[in-house]
Amino acid sequence: MALYAFAATLIFWTLWGFRMSFGDPLFLDVVGRPDFSVLTQKFMLAEGFVGLYPAATLVFFQFVFAAITLVLIAGALLGRMNFKAWMLFVPLWLTFSYTVGAFSIWSPKGFLFKAGVMDFAGGFVIHLSSGIAGFTAAYWVGPRIPKDRESFPPNNIIMTLVGAGLLWIGWAGFNGGAPYAVNIDSSLAIYNTHLCTATSLLVWLCLDYMKFGKPSVIGAVQGMVTGLVCITPAAGLVQVWAALIMGVLSGSIPWFTMMVLHKKIKFLKHVDDTLAIFHTHAIAGTLGGLLAGLFAEPNLNRLFFGDDPKFVGLIYAIKNGRTAAGLHQIGMQIAGMAFILVLNVVITSIICLIIKIVTPLRLSVEEMTIGDDTVHGEDAYAVWGDGETYEQSIHGKQLYPSHV
C-alpha cells in the first residue's frame, strides 16, 4: 500500500497535483488551477520560490510531502482495506483533499496563508490531515477481524527501530528543507526538530515506565514520532527553549489521549485505527500548530514569512504590547485546524462512499483470515513448518526426511 501510494502520487502530482497545490488560484483562493506545466522544460528549469534552485527541486520536495501524507493514511487502514479500493483512494484523495489543504495554507495565494495561518512544514497540511483522513477512512472501511484487533504484536521490533532511526534522521530534511534555502532558519529548524523529538521520546518512555512498570521500545518510538510531528509546524519559528517545552507536551498529551482517553471513549474504541495515526499525527500535529501560535518569535517569523507583522506568537505579542495581534494569531491557528479537520472528514467520507459503489472498501472475513496470500498471492514470511512451504524447501527434503 505504501509503495503504491508513493509511486502513484508522483504520477498524479506531476500531471496536476503540484499546480493545484501551488499554481494560479482556481476557486476562492482555496485550490490551484490544474495544468500540465510540470511536464514542460520551461517550467521545470525556471527559478523556484526563492530563486536559489530550479522549480524541479521544489516540485520533487513537495511531492514527497504529498506522498508521505497518503502513506500515513495507509497506516490507519492496514490489515483489511481492499487493495483495489486503495488504488482508487490515492488519486482521489490527493486531488480533492490534499491539494486544497496545501494551497490554502502553504501557497502565498491561499486564503489561509494570506489570513496569517502558520504551518512551517506540515503540522496541519500533512499530519492533521492524514490523522483525520485516516481515522475517517477507517470508520468507513470498518475494522479488522477480532483476533487481529485483540492480538497485534509487533512483527519485528529490531526492524521497527531501524525504521525509526531512518525516520528521525530523515526528518532533518523534512523540516530543514522547509525554508527552501540553506540559512540560519533551516539550521535552527533542524536543531529544534532533534531537541523536541529527544525530549518527547524520554517523556513518553518515563510515562510508560510509571504506568506499566516497563520501558517500552514501541512506546519510545511513538514518543519519537509525536515529537517529530509536534515540532513540524513550528520548527524554524520558535526558540530552543520553546522546542524543549513542546517536546514535554508532545510526549505527554498524545500519550494521555492514546493510553487513557482512547480506552474510555466508545467512539475511539469503535474505529479501528491500526497504527494509532489519529493520536500520533492528528493530536500531535494539532498540538504543534497551536503551540506555534503561542511561541512563534517575531524575528524568526520574519526570516520565514518576510516582513509581515501579522505573524507573531501570543507570548511575544503580549510582551510587546500587541495582545490583540497575538490573540488573532491563536485564532487563525484554530481556524486553520478547523478547516483541515472539516475538509478531511467531508472529502474523505465522500471519496469512500463513491469508491464503495465501485468496489468493496473492506476485504471479506475469509480474505482477512487468510491474509497476504489471498490478496497478493504471496506470503510475507515463508516459515519452515508452514505446510507446503516447509515440505518444498531443501531443508525439509534433505535434512529432515521423516517430515517429507
Side-chain angles (χ1 to χ4, degrees), residues 209 350 380:
Y209 216 154
I350 292 172

Side-chain angles (χ1 to χ4, degrees), residues 9-23 31-32 34-35 38 66 94-95 98-99 102:
T9 298
L10 180 55
I11 304 301
F12 299 116
W13 187 252
T14 300
L15 292 175
W16 62 75
F18 176 78
R19 292 294 288 168
M20 289 183 69
S21 300
F22 295 95
V31 69
D35 61 43
V38 176
L94 173 73
T95 302
Y98 183 83
T99 59

Side-chain angles (χ1 to χ4, degrees), residues 194-209:
H194 291 299
L195 180 63
C196 179
T197 302
T199 307
S200 182
L201 184 155
L202 293 177
V203 169
W204 193 296
L205 191 70
C206 290
L207 289 172
D208 272 353
Y209 216 154

